[in-house]
mmCIF file of all heavy atoms in Angstrom:
data_model
loop_
_atom_site.group_PDB
_atom_site.id
_atom_site.type_symbol
_atom_site.label_atom_id
_atom_site.label_comp_id
_atom_site.label_asym_id
_atom_site.label_seq_id
_atom_site.Cartn_x
_atom_site.Cartn_y
_atom_site.Cartn_z
ATOM 1 N N LEU A 124 150.662 142.705 255.915
ATOM 2 C CA LEU A 124 149.436 143.278 255.368
ATOM 3 C C LEU A 124 149.620 143.897 254.083
ATOM 4 O O LEU A 124 148.684 143.959 253.205
ATOM 5 C CB LEU A 124 148.843 144.222 256.343
ATOM 6 C CG LEU A 124 148.369 143.714 257.692
ATOM 7 C CD1 LEU A 124 147.937 144.808 258.581
ATOM 8 C CD2 LEU A 124 147.339 142.670 257.492
ATOM 9 N N THR A 125 150.801 144.338 253.764
ATOM 10 C CA THR A 125 151.126 145.003 252.496
ATOM 11 C C THR A 125 151.610 144.030 251.406
ATOM 12 O O THR A 125 151.170 144.113 250.210
ATOM 13 C CB THR A 125 152.098 146.170 252.592
ATOM 14 O OG1 THR A 125 151.720 147.094 253.651
ATOM 15 C CG2 THR A 125 152.386 146.954 251.289
ATOM 16 N N HIS A 126 152.521 143.134 251.827
ATOM 17 C CA HIS A 126 153.196 142.362 250.720
ATOM 18 C C HIS A 126 153.107 140.868 251.054
ATOM 19 O O HIS A 126 153.664 140.106 250.285
ATOM 20 C CB HIS A 126 154.688 142.746 250.653
ATOM 21 C CG HIS A 126 154.953 144.182 250.428
ATOM 22 N ND1 HIS A 126 154.564 144.784 249.195
ATOM 23 C CD2 HIS A 126 155.491 145.171 251.142
ATOM 24 C CE1 HIS A 126 154.929 146.039 249.227
ATOM 25 N NE2 HIS A 126 155.498 146.284 250.367
ATOM 26 N N GLY A 127 152.489 140.456 252.088
ATOM 27 C CA GLY A 127 152.522 139.010 252.517
ATOM 28 C C GLY A 127 151.304 138.194 252.257
ATOM 29 O O GLY A 127 150.313 138.642 251.620
ATOM 30 N N ALA A 128 151.316 137.012 252.911
ATOM 31 C CA ALA A 128 150.204 136.080 252.882
ATOM 32 C C ALA A 128 149.079 136.607 253.769
ATOM 33 O O ALA A 128 149.234 137.578 254.593
ATOM 34 C CB ALA A 128 150.671 134.733 253.307
ATOM 35 N N PRO A 129 147.902 136.025 253.727
ATOM 36 C CA PRO A 129 146.792 136.466 254.582
ATOM 37 C C PRO A 129 147.127 136.384 256.038
ATOM 38 O O PRO A 129 147.617 135.445 256.585
ATOM 39 C CB PRO A 129 145.685 135.494 254.236
ATOM 40 C CG PRO A 129 145.986 134.916 252.818
ATOM 41 C CD PRO A 129 147.499 134.931 252.784
ATOM 42 N N LEU A 130 146.694 137.518 256.733
ATOM 43 C CA LEU A 130 146.827 137.614 258.202
ATOM 44 C C LEU A 130 145.522 138.074 258.734
ATOM 45 O O LEU A 130 144.977 139.148 258.441
ATOM 46 C CB LEU A 130 147.924 138.653 258.477
ATOM 47 C CG LEU A 130 147.960 139.249 259.873
ATOM 48 C CD1 LEU A 130 148.148 138.134 260.995
ATOM 49 C CD2 LEU A 130 149.065 140.342 260.099
ATOM 50 N N LEU A 131 144.864 137.137 259.518
ATOM 51 C CA LEU A 131 143.484 137.462 260.049
ATOM 52 C C LEU A 131 143.641 137.658 261.552
ATOM 53 O O LEU A 131 144.071 136.805 262.300
ATOM 54 C CB LEU A 131 142.661 136.237 259.775
ATOM 55 C CG LEU A 131 141.969 136.172 258.371
ATOM 56 C CD1 LEU A 131 143.098 135.921 257.339
ATOM 57 C CD2 LEU A 131 140.968 134.978 258.395
ATOM 58 N N PHE A 132 143.322 138.882 261.991
ATOM 59 C CA PHE A 132 143.185 139.189 263.425
ATOM 60 C C PHE A 132 141.805 138.749 263.978
ATOM 61 O O PHE A 132 140.819 138.612 263.162
ATOM 62 C CB PHE A 132 143.436 140.665 263.671
ATOM 63 C CG PHE A 132 144.837 141.152 263.452
ATOM 64 C CD1 PHE A 132 145.181 141.823 262.305
ATOM 65 C CD2 PHE A 132 145.828 140.758 264.336
ATOM 66 C CE1 PHE A 132 146.491 142.298 262.124
ATOM 67 C CE2 PHE A 132 147.210 141.138 264.088
ATOM 68 C CZ PHE A 132 147.488 141.903 262.993
ATOM 69 N N GLU A 133 141.686 138.595 265.221
ATOM 70 C CA GLU A 133 140.499 138.163 265.882
ATOM 71 C C GLU A 133 139.917 136.906 265.275
ATOM 72 O O GLU A 133 138.709 136.736 265.035
ATOM 73 C CB GLU A 133 139.471 139.280 265.900
ATOM 74 C CG GLU A 133 139.938 140.523 266.640
ATOM 75 C CD GLU A 133 138.930 141.668 266.616
ATOM 76 O OE1 GLU A 133 138.060 141.667 267.492
ATOM 77 O OE2 GLU A 133 139.021 142.537 265.765
ATOM 78 N N ALA A 134 140.821 136.001 265.004
ATOM 79 C CA ALA A 134 140.560 134.714 264.407
ATOM 80 C C ALA A 134 140.883 133.645 265.434
ATOM 81 O O ALA A 134 142.037 133.280 265.554
ATOM 82 C CB ALA A 134 141.244 134.416 263.075
ATOM 83 N N GLN A 135 139.891 133.198 266.204
ATOM 84 C CA GLN A 135 140.169 132.327 267.437
ATOM 85 C C GLN A 135 140.084 130.837 266.893
ATOM 86 O O GLN A 135 139.015 130.351 266.504
ATOM 87 C CB GLN A 135 139.039 132.522 268.433
ATOM 88 C CG GLN A 135 139.215 131.678 269.645
ATOM 89 C CD GLN A 135 140.379 131.990 270.435
ATOM 90 O OE1 GLN A 135 140.658 133.067 270.856
ATOM 91 N NE2 GLN A 135 141.212 130.923 270.712
ATOM 92 N N VAL A 136 141.243 130.152 267.019
ATOM 93 C CA VAL A 136 141.307 128.781 266.687
ATOM 94 C C VAL A 136 140.612 127.958 267.752
ATOM 95 O O VAL A 136 140.968 128.066 268.953
ATOM 96 C CB VAL A 136 142.744 128.292 266.538
ATOM 97 C CG1 VAL A 136 142.783 126.729 266.294
ATOM 98 C CG2 VAL A 136 143.378 128.986 265.238
ATOM 99 N N THR A 137 139.550 127.200 267.409
ATOM 100 C CA THR A 137 138.839 126.412 268.367
ATOM 101 C C THR A 137 139.200 124.963 268.360
ATOM 102 O O THR A 137 138.939 124.288 269.296
ATOM 103 C CB THR A 137 137.308 126.560 268.143
ATOM 104 O OG1 THR A 137 137.030 126.150 266.760
ATOM 105 C CG2 THR A 137 136.880 128.018 268.309
ATOM 106 N N ALA A 138 139.773 124.479 267.273
ATOM 107 C CA ALA A 138 140.218 123.079 267.202
ATOM 108 C C ALA A 138 141.264 122.912 266.148
ATOM 109 O O ALA A 138 141.251 123.592 265.100
ATOM 110 C CB ALA A 138 138.968 122.207 266.801
ATOM 111 N N VAL A 139 142.184 121.983 266.353
ATOM 112 C CA VAL A 139 143.116 121.527 265.334
ATOM 113 C C VAL A 139 142.651 120.121 265.049
ATOM 114 O O VAL A 139 142.809 119.150 265.913
ATOM 115 C CB VAL A 139 144.554 121.532 265.883
ATOM 116 C CG1 VAL A 139 145.544 121.158 264.812
ATOM 117 C CG2 VAL A 139 144.927 122.946 266.461
#
Side-chain angles (χ1 to χ4, degrees):
L124 294 177
T125 305
H126 304 293
L130 165 58
L131 279 65
F132 291 105
E133 299 180 86
Q135 178 67 54
V136 173
T137 57
V139 185

